[in-house]
Amino acid sequence: MVAGPAFADCSALPSFSQLRSALVGALTPASGANGGLGFNMWATLVANDGTVCAVAFSGSQGTSEWLGSRVISAQKANTANDFSLGHNATPAGSLFPTGLALSTANLFTAVQPGGSLYGLQHSNPVDTAAAYGNRPPAGTPGVSQASFTSGPAAGASFGTPSDPMVGQRIGGVNVFGGGLALYANGFKVGGVGVSGDTSCTDHMVAWRVRNALGLDQFQGVKGVADATHPDNIIFDITTNPDGTGGTGQSPAGSGGVGKSASGFGHPKCLNNPTDAAVAGLPPVK
């Protein structure tokens, strides 16, 4: 048996109130270091086995945020958890012997047409019934196949401790900024996803949420960015030879989004965070 969590339950992660507090504290106005639009946001925590543990929003009510961002935040948490590894998870001789942390922002380039992970975003689809509470959770007392009747959860429960996603594995893959794996003493214990603003700002806020929750204890886990920010967003997409792409906006012509020197680049966003702000995010431990 190896040390560290394998299929962890939600007791290994912060509570709903801790998540909401961290999310509210991570926001800044549009003119602040996070860039973006200055909107309210959603955040989701998933455990190491993909179980949703908490869903919270930063505003006064669930409709103070983009409602569609609720499930996107869960997708991001699920993706970062699904495609990151920690200590004792890789075999001898691995290029990443201490583990590999990949943020959802790190996946953007590889999933573009012609990329090495093209199509990844269509794998592991969201279980929409679980995501929206359109059926009773599996194992609900008194519910059987013979007596099964579907019925949507009340929208008022979204982003509360009784959110219908809690206790469920909704799946989903997201390939733009806002999802990060969670680490305790170098072991992956789950993921956090943030959504509700530009994808670049989502990443900035998710990073601050993870730091506030104390689950950035990488202890040598590597990534594809710099040593102190292993899974940070990378802005290295430049224009193609034909002059298209590289702007972060929808390009004209057939050049796509441009070329990433690292292969892990993410396009810039409206009111993009400055290079200094990205580099100035709290270093991992």
Side-chain angles (χ1 to χ4, degrees):
M1 296 293 288
V2 297
F7 288 91
D9 60 28
C10 293
S11 65
L13 296 180
S15 66
F16 164 81
S17 60
Q18 289 171 313
L19 174 63
R20 175 171 163 78
S21 178
L23 177 62
V24 171
L27 300 181
T28 62
S31 59
N34 291 335
L37 310 175
F39 285 176
N40 279 308
M41 294 190 173
W42 295 87
T44 298
L45 292 177
V46 301
N48 205 29
D49 66 349
T51 299
V52 175
C53 296
V55 185
F57 53 79
S58 65
S60 60
Q61 55 188 352
T63 51
S64 298
E65 299 75 20
W66 285 335
L67 192 56
S69 286
R70 171 179 162 271
V71 174
I72 293 174
S73 72
Q75 278 185 298
K76 291 179 180 182
N78 183 71
T79 304
N81 178 62
D82 278 0
F83 297 106
S84 296
L85 297 167
H87 289 183
N88 292 350
T90 57
S94 170
L95 289 176
F96 295 91
T98 58
L100 171 65
L102 288 174
S103 66
T104 54
N106 297 151
L107 296 173
F108 179 89
T109 290
V111 303
Q112 300 307 310
S116 62
L117 297 179
Y118 176 61
L120 177 70
Q121 64 270 45
H122 304 303
S123 68
N124 300 283
V126 167
D127 182 340
T128 55
Y132 298 105
N134 290 334
R135 56 175 165 77
T140 300
V143 176
S144 66
Q145 287 295 328
S147 63
F148 182 86
T149 55
S150 60
S157 67
F158 292 174
T160 72
S162 58
D163 189 293
M165 288 195 290
V166 173
Q168 305 296 300
R169 288 190 287 272
I170 72 155
V173 174
N174 187 283
V175 293
F176 50 83
L180 300 168
L182 302 174
Y183 288 91
N185 299 315
F187 294 98
K188 183 172 68 70
V189 295
V192 61
V194 168
S195 184
D197 205 293
T198 70
S199 56
C200 305
T201 295
D202 291 351
H203 172 87
M204 301 290 285
V205 174
W207 192 282
R208 299 185 195 282
V209 167
R210 180 173 69 177
N211 173 258
L213 295 175
L215 291 175
D216 53 358
Q217 302 168 28
F218 276 53
Q219 300 292 300
V221 173
K222 305 299 182 183
V224 296
D226 67 86
T228 57
H229 303 81
D231 53 348
N232 207 356
I233 196 167
I234 299 172
F235 293 120
D236 68 352
I237 295 178
T238 57
T239 55
N240 294 303
D242 64 359
T244 61
T247 63
Q249 309 298 319
S250 298
S254 59
V257 296
K259 179 176 177 58
S260 166
S262 67
F264 299 97
H266 189 285
K268 292 184 177 180
C269 303
L270 182 65
N271 188 26
N272 202 64
T274 65
D275 291 344
V278 174
L281 287 168
V284 302
K285 302 174 181 65

